Amino acid sequence: MILQFIKFCVVGGSGVFVDFGVTYACKEWLRVNKYAANSVGFLCAATTNYLLNRVWTFHNEDPDIAGQYLRFLGIALLGLVINTVTIWLLHHKFRANFYAAKLLATGVVTFWNFFMNYFFNF
């Protein structure tokens, strides 16, 4: 499980670049609401993370890719709620920098996503 968690974190690290890049582009260039931009970035990262985790982290060959992807997205969507609430609390209530709050929220959600996928998806 430890090696899988390390791989999950490496995949998640690549997802951070996808997440932050898409969030930044939506928020700063397209002027999308910061919470909506966060959601788009988070979901784009969840999709790339699913593919990488399926193949590399968990070496999963379940033929029900659609069902597994939907479970992964369900877990990610609950993670998105945790992520968004954490960002809102840190940024809005405690006046932390938006991107610092997003980074901390990403750390919190990493544990949620790993254990839920480990036990219920892969």
Side-chain angles (χ1 to χ4, degrees):
M1 183 189 300
I2 292 172
L3 180 58
Q4 286 177 317
F5 182 73
I6 291 168
K7 286 181 172 184
F8 191 85
C9 288
V10 170
V11 169
S14 72
V16 167
F17 286 103
V18 172
D19 188 354
F20 275 67
V22 171
T23 298
Y24 182 85
C26 289
K27 180 179 176 289
E28 304 299 336
W29 297 343
L30 300 175
R31 302 288 186 218
V32 173
N33 172 280
K34 59 188 158 193
Y35 297 106
N38 178 63
S39 299
V40 172
F42 192 86
L43 291 173
C44 287
T47 300
T48 60
N49 285 359
Y50 166 73
L51 294 170
L52 292 171
N53 279 312
R54 175 181 165 82
V55 172
W56 186 57
T57 304
F58 297 105
H59 303 286
N60 190 273
E61 296 179 359
D62 183 348
D64 183 20
I65 294 171
Q68 189 177 58
Y69 179 66
L70 290 175
R71 284 189 304 277
F72 189 90
L73 283 180
I75 291 167
L77 286 173
L78 290 173
L80 176 60
V81 171
I82 295 167
N83 179 279
T84 302
V85 168
T86 303
I87 291 171
W88 183 82
L89 285 171
L90 293 173
H91 178 63
H92 185 71
K93 292 292 187 183
F94 296 106
R95 303 289 185 214
N97 173 276
F98 177 78
Y99 292 105
K102 183 170 176 58
L103 185 62
L104 288 171
T106 299
V108 169
V109 172
T110 296
F111 287 99
W112 160 264
N113 284 340
F114 176 76
F115 287 110
M116 293 302 290
N117 278 294
Y118 182 85
F119 289 114
F120 299 109
N121 203 21
F122 294 111

PDB file of all heavy atoms in Angstrom, residues 68-90:
ATOM      1  N   GLN A  68     -15.836   2.112 -13.687  1.00  0.00           N
ATOM      2  CA  GLN A  68     -14.728   2.475 -12.811  1.00  0.00           C
ATOM      3  C   GLN A  68     -14.439   3.975 -12.899  1.00  0.00           C
ATOM      4  O   GLN A  68     -14.188   4.628 -11.889  1.00  0.00           O
ATOM      5  CB  GLN A  68     -13.490   1.671 -13.220  1.00  0.00           C
ATOM      6  CG  GLN A  68     -12.336   1.799 -12.258  1.00  0.00           C
ATOM      7  CD  GLN A  68     -11.192   0.923 -12.687  1.00  0.00           C
ATOM      8  OE1 GLN A  68     -10.688   1.061 -13.807  1.00  0.00           O
ATOM      9  NE2 GLN A  68     -10.779   0.028 -11.808  1.00  0.00           N
ATOM     10  N   TYR A  69     -14.472   4.523 -14.105  1.00  0.00           N
ATOM     11  CA  TYR A  69     -14.256   5.956 -14.294  1.00  0.00           C
ATOM     12  C   TYR A  69     -15.335   6.760 -13.577  1.00  0.00           C
ATOM     13  O   TYR A  69     -15.040   7.759 -12.915  1.00  0.00           O
ATOM     14  CB  TYR A  69     -14.228   6.290 -15.782  1.00  0.00           C
ATOM     15  CG  TYR A  69     -14.030   7.755 -16.080  1.00  0.00           C
ATOM     16  CD1 TYR A  69     -12.838   8.389 -15.747  1.00  0.00           C
ATOM     17  CD2 TYR A  69     -15.023   8.498 -16.707  1.00  0.00           C
ATOM     18  CE1 TYR A  69     -12.656   9.733 -16.031  1.00  0.00           C
ATOM     19  CE2 TYR A  69     -14.844   9.835 -16.990  1.00  0.00           C
ATOM     20  CZ  TYR A  69     -13.657  10.452 -16.654  1.00  0.00           C
ATOM     21  OH  TYR A  69     -13.475  11.791 -16.933  1.00  0.00           O
ATOM     22  N   LEU A  70     -16.581   6.301 -13.674  1.00  0.00           N
ATOM     23  CA  LEU A  70     -17.667   7.003 -12.984  1.00  0.00           C
ATOM     24  C   LEU A  70     -17.502   6.936 -11.466  1.00  0.00           C
ATOM     25  O   LEU A  70     -17.764   7.921 -10.768  1.00  0.00           O
ATOM     26  CB  LEU A  70     -19.027   6.448 -13.403  1.00  0.00           C
ATOM     27  CG  LEU A  70     -19.449   6.781 -14.831  1.00  0.00           C
ATOM     28  CD1 LEU A  70     -20.754   6.065 -15.181  1.00  0.00           C
ATOM     29  CD2 LEU A  70     -19.582   8.284 -15.021  1.00  0.00           C
ATOM     30  N   ARG A  71     -17.064   5.792 -10.944  1.00  0.00           N
ATOM     31  CA  ARG A  71     -16.776   5.707  -9.498  1.00  0.00           C
ATOM     32  C   ARG A  71     -15.641   6.645  -9.120  1.00  0.00           C
ATOM     33  O   ARG A  71     -15.706   7.335  -8.106  1.00  0.00           O
ATOM     34  CB  ARG A  71     -16.442   4.265  -9.096  1.00  0.00           C
ATOM     35  CG  ARG A  71     -17.647   3.348  -9.017  1.00  0.00           C
ATOM     36  CD  ARG A  71     -17.307   1.994  -8.407  1.00  0.00           C
ATOM     37  NE  ARG A  71     -16.233   1.281  -9.083  1.00  0.00           N
ATOM     38  CZ  ARG A  71     -16.388   0.537 -10.180  1.00  0.00           C
ATOM     39  NH1 ARG A  71     -17.589   0.398 -10.727  1.00  0.00           N
ATOM     40  NH2 ARG A  71     -15.354  -0.090 -10.716  1.00  0.00           N
ATOM     41  N   PHE A  72     -14.604   6.668  -9.952  1.00  0.00           N
ATOM     42  CA  PHE A  72     -13.472   7.558  -9.711  1.00  0.00           C
ATOM     43  C   PHE A  72     -13.934   9.010  -9.691  1.00  0.00           C
ATOM     44  O   PHE A  72     -13.556   9.779  -8.813  1.00  0.00           O
ATOM     45  CB  PHE A  72     -12.400   7.345 -10.791  1.00  0.00           C
ATOM     46  CG  PHE A  72     -11.102   8.046 -10.515  1.00  0.00           C
ATOM     47  CD1 PHE A  72     -10.099   7.404  -9.806  1.00  0.00           C
ATOM     48  CD2 PHE A  72     -10.863   9.332 -10.962  1.00  0.00           C
ATOM     49  CE1 PHE A  72      -8.890   8.035  -9.551  1.00  0.00           C
ATOM     50  CE2 PHE A  72      -9.671   9.975 -10.706  1.00  0.00           C
ATOM     51  CZ  PHE A  72      -8.675   9.320  -9.996  1.00  0.00           C
ATOM     52  N   LEU A  73     -14.770   9.372 -10.659  1.00  0.00           N
ATOM     53  CA  LEU A  73     -15.297  10.743 -10.694  1.00  0.00           C
ATOM     54  C   LEU A  73     -16.204  11.033  -9.507  1.00  0.00           C
ATOM     55  O   LEU A  73     -16.194  12.148  -8.977  1.00  0.00           O
ATOM     56  CB  LEU A  73     -16.039  11.001 -12.008  1.00  0.00           C
ATOM     57  CG  LEU A  73     -15.167  11.238 -13.222  1.00  0.00           C
ATOM     58  CD1 LEU A  73     -16.037  11.488 -14.455  1.00  0.00           C
ATOM     59  CD2 LEU A  73     -14.200  12.389 -13.021  1.00  0.00           C
ATOM     60  N   GLY A  74     -16.983  10.045  -9.083  1.00  0.00           N
ATOM     61  CA  GLY A  74     -17.818  10.234  -7.892  1.00  0.00           C
ATOM     62  C   GLY A  74     -16.978  10.524  -6.661  1.00  0.00           C
ATOM     63  O   GLY A  74     -17.281  11.438  -5.881  1.00  0.00           O
ATOM     64  N   ILE A  75     -15.921   9.749  -6.495  1.00  0.00           N
ATOM     65  CA  ILE A  75     -15.003   9.986  -5.380  1.00  0.00           C
ATOM     66  C   ILE A  75     -14.361  11.362  -5.531  1.00  0.00           C
ATOM     67  O   ILE A  75     -14.250  12.122  -4.570  1.00  0.00           O
ATOM     68  CB  ILE A  75     -13.934   8.871  -5.318  1.00  0.00           C
ATOM     69  CG1 ILE A  75     -14.595   7.542  -4.903  1.00  0.00           C
ATOM     70  CG2 ILE A  75     -12.795   9.244  -4.369  1.00  0.00           C
ATOM     71  CD1 ILE A  75     -13.713   6.317  -5.119  1.00  0.00           C
ATOM     72  N   ALA A  76     -13.955  11.697  -6.766  1.00  0.00           N
ATOM     73  CA  ALA A  76     -13.335  12.993  -7.021  1.00  0.00           C
ATOM     74  C   ALA A  76     -14.309  14.138  -6.762  1.00  0.00           C
ATOM     75  O   ALA A  76     -13.916  15.189  -6.249  1.00  0.00           O
ATOM     76  CB  ALA A  76     -12.806  13.056  -8.453  1.00  0.00           C
ATOM     77  N   LEU A  77     -15.591  13.937  -7.119  1.00  0.00           N
ATOM     78  CA  LEU A  77     -16.580  15.002  -6.880  1.00  0.00           C
ATOM     79  C   LEU A  77     -16.795  15.244  -5.386  1.00  0.00           C
ATOM     80  O   LEU A  77     -16.922  16.393  -4.954  1.00  0.00           O
ATOM     81  CB  LEU A  77     -17.901  14.675  -7.574  1.00  0.00           C
ATOM     82  CG  LEU A  77     -17.879  14.841  -9.086  1.00  0.00           C
ATOM     83  CD1 LEU A  77     -19.187  14.325  -9.692  1.00  0.00           C
ATOM     84  CD2 LEU A  77     -17.646  16.288  -9.473  1.00  0.00           C
ATOM     85  N   LEU A  78     -16.826  14.170  -4.609  1.00  0.00           N
ATOM     86  CA  LEU A  78     -16.892  14.366  -3.156  1.00  0.00           C
ATOM     87  C   LEU A  78     -15.614  15.039  -2.665  1.00  0.00           C
ATOM     88  O   LEU A  78     -15.652  15.893  -1.780  1.00  0.00           O
ATOM     89  CB  LEU A  78     -17.123  13.035  -2.449  1.00  0.00           C
ATOM     90  CG  LEU A  78     -18.511  12.431  -2.650  1.00  0.00           C
ATOM     91  CD1 LEU A  78     -18.581  11.028  -2.055  1.00  0.00           C
ATOM     92  CD2 LEU A  78     -19.574  13.322  -2.046  1.00  0.00           C
ATOM     93  N   GLY A  79     -14.492  14.669  -3.265  1.00  0.00           N
ATOM     94  CA  GLY A  79     -13.239  15.349  -2.962  1.00  0.00           C
ATOM     95  C   GLY A  79     -13.286  16.813  -3.357  1.00  0.00           C
ATOM     96  O   GLY A  79     -12.733  17.677  -2.671  1.00  0.00           O
ATOM     97  N   LEU A  80     -13.956  17.105  -4.469  1.00  0.00           N
ATOM     98  CA  LEU A  80     -14.118  18.502  -4.903  1.00  0.00           C
ATOM     99  C   LEU A  80     -14.884  19.315  -3.869  1.00  0.00           C
ATOM    100  O   LEU A  80     -14.549  20.468  -3.597  1.00  0.00           O
ATOM    101  CB  LEU A  80     -14.822  18.560  -6.263  1.00  0.00           C
ATOM    102  CG  LEU A  80     -15.138  19.951  -6.791  1.00  0.00           C
ATOM    103  CD1 LEU A  80     -13.875  20.776  -6.968  1.00  0.00           C
ATOM    104  CD2 LEU A  80     -15.904  19.837  -8.111  1.00  0.00           C
ATOM    105  N   VAL A  81     -15.904  18.719  -3.284  1.00  0.00           N
ATOM    106  CA  VAL A  81     -16.660  19.412  -2.227  1.00  0.00           C
ATOM    107  C   VAL A  81     -15.729  19.710  -1.053  1.00  0.00           C
ATOM    108  O   VAL A  81     -15.693  20.841  -0.546  1.00  0.00           O
ATOM    109  CB  VAL A  81     -17.881  18.577  -1.772  1.00  0.00           C
ATOM    110  CG1 VAL A  81     -18.527  19.180  -0.538  1.00  0.00           C
ATOM    111  CG2 VAL A  81     -18.892  18.445  -2.903  1.00  0.00           C
ATOM    112  N   ILE A  82     -14.960  18.713  -0.638  1.00  0.00           N
ATOM    113  CA  ILE A  82     -14.002  18.917   0.453  1.00  0.00           C
ATOM    114  C   ILE A  82     -12.993  19.990   0.061  1.00  0.00           C
ATOM    115  O   ILE A  82     -12.677  20.894   0.845  1.00  0.00           O
ATOM    116  CB  ILE A  82     -13.284  17.585   0.791  1.00  0.00           C
ATOM    117  CG1 ILE A  82     -14.275  16.558   1.331  1.00  0.00           C
ATOM    118  CG2 ILE A  82     -12.146  17.819   1.793  1.00  0.00           C
ATOM    119  CD1 ILE A  82     -13.733  15.135   1.385  1.00  0.00           C
ATOM    120  N   ASN A  83     -12.502  19.914  -1.170  1.00  0.00           N
ATOM    121  CA  ASN A  83     -11.533  20.880  -1.692  1.00  0.00           C
ATOM    122  C   ASN A  83     -12.097  22.300  -1.678  1.00  0.00           C
ATOM    123  O   ASN A  83     -11.461  23.226  -1.172  1.00  0.00           O
ATOM    124  CB  ASN A  83     -11.159  20.452  -3.120  1.00  0.00           C
ATOM    125  CG  ASN A  83     -10.171  21.376  -3.799  1.00  0.00           C
ATOM    126  OD1 ASN A  83     -10.563  22.412  -4.316  1.00  0.00           O
ATOM    127  ND2 ASN A  83      -8.922  20.987  -3.816  1.00  0.00           N
ATOM    128  N   THR A  84     -13.299  22.465  -2.203  1.00  0.00           N
ATOM    129  CA  THR A  84     -13.902  23.795  -2.319  1.00  0.00           C
ATOM    130  C   THR A  84     -14.216  24.387  -0.952  1.00  0.00           C
ATOM    131  O   THR A  84     -13.966  25.573  -0.711  1.00  0.00           O
ATOM    132  CB  THR A  84     -15.169  23.735  -3.202  1.00  0.00           C
ATOM    133  OG1 THR A  84     -14.806  23.210  -4.483  1.00  0.00           O
ATOM    134  CG2 THR A  84     -15.793  25.104  -3.372  1.00  0.00           C
ATOM    135  N   VAL A  85     -14.748  23.573  -0.054  1.00  0.00           N
ATOM    136  CA  VAL A  85     -15.047  24.061   1.303  1.00  0.00           C
ATOM    137  C   VAL A  85     -13.757  24.476   2.010  1.00  0.00           C
ATOM    138  O   VAL A  85     -13.708  25.525   2.672  1.00  0.00           O
ATOM    139  CB  VAL A  85     -15.824  22.996   2.115  1.00  0.00           C
ATOM    140  CG1 VAL A  85     -15.884  23.356   3.588  1.00  0.00           C
ATOM    141  CG2 VAL A  85     -17.226  22.830   1.548  1.00  0.00           C
ATOM    142  N   THR A  86     -12.706  23.678   1.846  1.00  0.00           N
ATOM    143  CA  THR A  86     -11.424  24.012   2.468  1.00  0.00           C
ATOM    144  C   THR A  86     -10.878  25.326   1.911  1.00  0.00           C
ATOM    145  O   THR A  86     -10.436  26.195   2.667  1.00  0.00           O
ATOM    146  CB  THR A  86     -10.401  22.871   2.254  1.00  0.00           C
ATOM    147  OG1 THR A  86     -10.948  21.666   2.787  1.00  0.00           O
ATOM    148  CG2 THR A  86      -9.086  23.182   2.927  1.00  0.00           C
ATOM    149  N   ILE A  87     -10.920  25.486   0.590  1.00  0.00           N
ATOM    150  CA  ILE A  87     -10.460  26.737  -0.023  1.00  0.00           C
ATOM    151  C   ILE A  87     -11.300  27.902   0.476  1.00  0.00           C
ATOM    152  O   ILE A  87     -10.772  28.951   0.849  1.00  0.00           O
ATOM    153  CB  ILE A  87     -10.512  26.654  -1.559  1.00  0.00           C
ATOM    154  CG1 ILE A  87      -9.456  25.687  -2.075  1.00  0.00           C
ATOM    155  CG2 ILE A  87     -10.314  28.037  -2.186  1.00  0.00           C
ATOM    156  CD1 ILE A  87      -9.567  25.386  -3.552  1.00  0.00           C
ATOM    157  N   TRP A  88     -12.611  27.737   0.486  1.00  0.00           N
ATOM    158  CA  TRP A  88     -13.496  28.819   0.925  1.00  0.00           C
ATOM    159  C   TRP A  88     -13.181  29.233   2.362  1.00  0.00           C
ATOM    160  O   TRP A  88     -13.069  30.416   2.658  1.00  0.00           O
ATOM    161  CB  TRP A  88     -14.961  28.394   0.794  1.00  0.00           C
ATOM    162  CG  TRP A  88     -15.896  29.491   1.164  1.00  0.00           C
ATOM    163  CD1 TRP A  88     -16.307  30.533   0.379  1.00  0.00           C
ATOM    164  CD2 TRP A  88     -16.524  29.683   2.437  1.00  0.00           C
ATOM    165  NE1 TRP A  88     -17.145  31.352   1.081  1.00  0.00           N
ATOM    166  CE2 TRP A  88     -17.301  30.853   2.348  1.00  0.00           C
ATOM    167  CE3 TRP A  88     -16.510  28.984   3.633  1.00  0.00           C
ATOM    168  CZ2 TRP A  88     -18.054  31.330   3.409  1.00  0.00           C
ATOM    169  CZ3 TRP A  88     -17.253  29.461   4.682  1.00  0.00           C
ATOM    170  CH2 TRP A  88     -18.007  30.614   4.571  1.00  0.00           C
ATOM    171  N   LEU A  89     -13.022  28.245   3.230  1.00  0.00           N
ATOM    172  CA  LEU A  89     -12.710  28.565   4.629  1.00  0.00           C
ATOM    173  C   LEU A  89     -11.378  29.296   4.756  1.00  0.00           C
ATOM    174  O   LEU A  89     -11.287  30.318   5.439  1.00  0.00           O
ATOM    175  CB  LEU A  89     -12.677  27.295   5.482  1.00  0.00           C
ATOM    176  CG  LEU A  89     -14.022  26.677   5.829  1.00  0.00           C
ATOM    177  CD1 LEU A  89     -13.811  25.312   6.494  1.00  0.00           C
ATOM    178  CD2 LEU A  89     -14.819  27.595   6.746  1.00  0.00           C
ATOM    179  N   LEU A  90     -10.353  28.750   4.109  1.00  0.00           N
ATOM    180  CA  LEU A  90      -9.029  29.356   4.234  1.00  0.00           C
ATOM    181  C   LEU A  90      -8.942  30.711   3.546  1.00  0.00           C
ATOM    182  O   LEU A  90      -8.363  31.656   4.086  1.00  0.00           O
ATOM    183  CB  LEU A  90      -7.962  28.414   3.662  1.00  0.00           C
ATOM    184  CG  LEU A  90      -7.748  27.118   4.432  1.00  0.00           C
ATOM    185  CD1 LEU A  90      -6.796  26.198   3.663  1.00  0.00           C
ATOM    186  CD2 LEU A  90      -7.212  27.392   5.829  1.00  0.00           C
TER     187      LEU A  90
END
